[in-house]
Amino acid sequence: MLSVVLTLSLPGSGWAQASGTSVASPAGTAGQAPTRAAGTLPPKPRSRQADSVFRLGESMERDQPVPAMRLYREAAVLAAQGNDSVTLANARYRLGITFWARNLYDSALVYLDSALVVRRRLDDPTELARVYNGLGASYYQLGIYEPALEAFVQALRIRRVSRDSMGLARTLTNIGKVYHDWGQLDRARVTLQEATRVAERVPNGAAALGYALNSLAMLEIDRGNLAEARQLIDQSIGAYAMPHGRTSRADSVESWEFNATSTGALLLREGRASESLVILDSVLTSANDRHSDRAKARALLLLGEASVRMGNPTKARTQFTESLALSRIVGQRIIALAALDHLSELEYGSGNARAAVGYLRAYRVLRDTIFDQDAALRIASREARAETDAALQANVQLQARGVEQQVVISRQRSTVIMGSVILALVSALLLMLVYTQRRERARASALKAANAELATVNEELRNAVSEVRTLSGLIPICANCKKVRDDRGYWETVETFVAERSNATFSHSICQSCGPQLYGDLWPGSPQG
């Protein structure tokens, strides 16, 4: 059972993915420059020459890693001379990652440690978390779990605070794999389930999701939940098939190897060794094509187990021995431990007690080196302390956000009050305008009525004046001469009296009665005339 745990917990031993979905992809990207977190701007380098050399190395790293490493060293020297801490940290970090990709984990640790020293002085939590993750991945590959887990916990703490969800999902998966390898299956399951939930919420996080699901599937195989493991493998395959599940051809090959290895392991647990053998043979072929000794060591280990189940101990012995040799070359102590365990059992079953004891002793020495229960307790204590610190920081942040919210609420309250005052003033102004308009309309109406009344009065005045100029009442007139007596007692001719008291004027003429009397026969119309 121990060999199963140790072997099947490493689906990412081909771990130099460009997508950075495995424990040993500490950069978040292997073979290419890490992508900077959204919303952060790279600090302006102080040494343009160092930065230019560094970026040239980045462009060459995937296809020409050795020349890229020379350029990184040159960039680090130039950056140190130019007091360019950013480029210095970047160059040392990329050197560490490149050594890691070449299976030189001790050298990787040297450069990653030096990058960490510089990174701690810079205000860039995203990059600092990547360095911690790289350190954890390097220790993990060496099977040194205590510092590996401690480094991953540091990366986890930073990524929780900085809300780097993609990095958080990857680091959680890495921690889950450490717990899995360490035999703490319950803690591994909780951590990997959280990694899956986080990855599901990340836009373009298909690769991180595929890796988390695959790691969880391997865990469920070791827990004996085979039906659930198959569902998780199918989900992992689906995640890797999504648009952002693979960013390069290498990603496609390695993600296939992850799930093919999981499927082969699952078939072995289901007792279908012949079907498992076909799949694992294809995984070994792929690993040979990629010249990946880590992937070959893992595939040979599983193939050896399949050969044992199919009753071919000779072939199994060859496969376990080759897996052991390769794992020692690339520093895969977990695979080496599982290979020693299988070889001990195989030799014991074949009656070769001396060889069995030799393998068993080597197994126990390596096991005691890797699995230290006191170290496990220390790590659990540190992790709990880190979680407590994170909770305290979250508390402080919540309190700060509460203060900010109070300020916002106070501002909103002031805004509402000011708005209410302004609204009241506007309403009062509108009321005044309405009142004024009504008064103006009333004045206009009153003026119109006054004008109409004035017109009536004027008309009455005109009538009065007209009446004043009109003669009325008894007028004394002489019965003989027809003169009229005025108010003063003077007698005036009718013409003078009327002209002075009216607008009338007289034009003199002779009527038909007086004419004949005055002119006799000369009057026109007389009988004689």
Side-chain angles (χ1 to χ4, degrees):
M1 181 60 186
L2 179 59
S3 63
V4 171
V5 172
L6 299 181
T7 300
L8 300 184
S9 63
L10 298 174
S13 52
W15 287 334
Q17 282 189 286
S19 61
T21 55
S22 65
V23 166
S25 179
T29 58
Q32 68 181 24
T35 349
R36 199 169 288 273
T40 62
L41 296 175
K44 184 178 179 181
R46 298 178 183 177
S47 171
R48 291 187 178 181
Q49 186 179 5
D51 184 62
S52 299
V53 173
F54 171 74
R55 299 208 178 274
L56 180 60
E58 280 186 316
S59 66
M60 298 173 61
E61 182 180 328
R62 179 179 288 276
D63 300 320
Q64 303 178 63
V66 175
M69 292 171 72
R70 287 198 294 268
L71 289 170
Y72 288 147
R73 287 192 182 95
E74 182 182 351
V77 172
L78 292 171
Q81 292 172 352
N83 196 24
D84 181 359
S85 299
V86 174
T87 305
L88 178 61
N90 289 339
R92 289 178 176 175
Y93 174 72
R94 294 310 306 167
L95 273 168
I97 297 306
T98 311
F99 273 116
W100 176 91
R102 294 168 60 83
N103 305 323
L104 302 172
Y105 305 117
D106 291 326
S107 298
L109 285 172
V110 171
Y111 282 101
L112 290 170
D113 272 326
S114 64
L116 181 64
V117 171
V118 181
R119 271 287 164 208
R120 281 173 173 162
R121 298 196 299 263
L122 301 175
D123 185 18
D124 192 340
T126 300
E127 294 300 329
L128 180 60
R130 281 186 180 162
V131 177
Y132 274 121
N133 201 61
L135 284 168
S138 299
Y139 283 121
Y140 179 90
Q141 291 291 3
L142 292 170
I144 308 174
Y145 286 109
E146 183 173 2
L149 191 53
E150 186 171 358
F152 286 141
V153 167
Q154 290 293 336
L156 180 68
R157 178 183 58 80
I158 296 171
R159 284 173 166 169
R160 283 194 192 279
V161 173
S162 63
R163 298 181 183 179
D164 176 10
S165 298
M166 180 73 80
L168 179 61
R170 290 171 177 165
T171 301
L172 283 168
T173 304
N174 292 345
I175 292 174
K177 290 178 71 64
V178 173
Y179 284 143
H180 185 181
D181 287 2
W182 219 337
Q184 300 182 35
L185 302 188
D186 291 336
R187 298 188 74 180
R189 189 168 191 262
V190 171
T191 306
L192 290 172
Q193 285 175 339
E194 183 184 357
T196 302
R197 290 193 299 270
V198 172
E200 286 173 341
R201 297 193 296 267
V202 178
N204 305 333
L209 177 60
Y211 174 55
L213 288 167
N214 179 270
S215 302
L216 188 56
M218 297 300 289
L219 175 66
E220 294 303 335
I221 290 172
D222 284 352
R223 289 169 60 90
N225 300 327
L226 303 186
E228 185 175 349
R230 181 166 294 281
Q231 290 180 355
L232 290 167
I233 292 172
D234 291 340
Q235 291 173 12
S236 176
I237 293 171
Y240 278 122
M242 293 170 68
H244 295 278
R246 302 164 184 173
T247 58
S248 70
R249 184 178 179 276
D251 284 353
S252 300
V253 173
E254 291 177 6
S255 62
W256 173 82
E257 282 186 11
F258 286 171
N259 286 296
T261 302
S262 303
T263 303
L266 178 62
L267 292 171
L268 280 174
R269 297 300 174 276
E270 292 175 342
R272 299 156 65 183
S274 58
E275 297 176 50
S276 171
L277 193 62
V278 174
I279 294 176
L280 294 172
D281 271 331
S282 63
V283 173
L284 180 61
T285 301
S286 174
N288 279 318
D289 291 341
R290 294 193 301 110
H291 305 288
S292 173
D293 289 340
R294 286 173 299 186
K296 287 165 60 177
R298 180 194 59 212
L300 285 166
L301 189 64
L302 290 173
L303 281 168
E305 186 177 343
S307 296
V308 168
R309 297 201 178 198
M310 294 182 69
N312 192 344
T314 302
K315 187 175 182 180
R317 182 181 292 105
T318 302
Q319 290 166 331
F320 288 142
T321 303
E322 187 177 352
S323 175
L324 177 61
L326 287 171
S327 63
R328 284 172 170 169
I329 290 172
V330 296
Q332 296 291 304
R333 297 201 300 170
I334 292 297
I335 297 179
L337 185 67
L340 287 169
D341 186 30
H342 280 301
L343 284 169
S344 176
E345 291 181 0
L346 192 61
E347 295 298 341
Y348 183 79
S350 301
N352 191 350
R354 178 173 293 182
V357 169
Y359 284 127
L360 183 58
R361 285 175 178 170
Y363 166 80
R364 286 178 176 174
V365 170
L366 185 57
R367 182 197 60 187
D368 292 342
T369 303
I370 295 174
F371 297 100
D372 181 353
Q373 293 305 317
D374 291 338
L377 292 174
R378 288 195 300 272
I379 284 295
S381 173
R382 290 175 185 175
E383 186 185 26
R385 188 168 63 250
E387 292 294 334
T388 302
D389 292 342
L392 289 174
Q393 289 181 356
N395 236 7
V396 171
Q397 290 178 345
L398 283 174
Q399 290 177 356
R401 282 199 292 271
V403 172
E404 291 175 0
Q405 288 175 354
Q406 288 296 329
V407 172
V408 171
I409 291 171
S410 177
R411 289 177 180 172
Q412 289 177 343
R413 189 174 298 160
S414 300
T415 303
V416 169
I417 292 173
M418 290 180 63
S420 301
V421 171
I422 292 172
L423 182 61
L425 291 173
V426 170
S427 301
L429 182 59
L430 288 174
L431 289 173
M432 288 180 64
L433 288 174
V434 170
Y435 176 72
T436 303
Q437 288 178 349
R438 288 181 178 176
R439 284 186 59 188
E440 290 299 323
R441 284 198 295 269
R443 287 180 182 178
S445 177
L447 184 59
K448 185 177 180 181
N451 288 337
E453 185 178 355
L454 184 58
T456 303
V457 170
N458 287 338
E459 183 65 26
E460 291 176 353
L461 288 174
R462 282 194 295 272
N463 293 335
V465 171
S466 175
E467 288 180 0
V468 166
R469 302 294 292 177
T470 302
L471 295 176
S472 61
L474 295 174
I475 299 175
I477 187 170
C478 177
N480 180 44
C481 66
K482 306 302 182 185
K483 286 185 178 182
V484 178
R485 187 179 64 191
D486 61 14
D487 295 336
R488 296 171 298 175
Y490 295 104
W491 293 90
E492 298 176 343
T493 61
V494 173
E495 295 91 331
T496 301
F497 184 86
V498 172
E500 289 178 355
R501 289 167 175 76
S502 71
N503 293 326
T505 56
F506 290 88
S507 62
H508 292 83
S509 181
I510 298 174
C511 68
Q512 292 296 331
S513 300
C514 295
Q517 294 177 10
L518 294 173
Y519 296 100
D521 295 338
L522 296 177
W523 180 256
S526 63
Q528 291 82 3

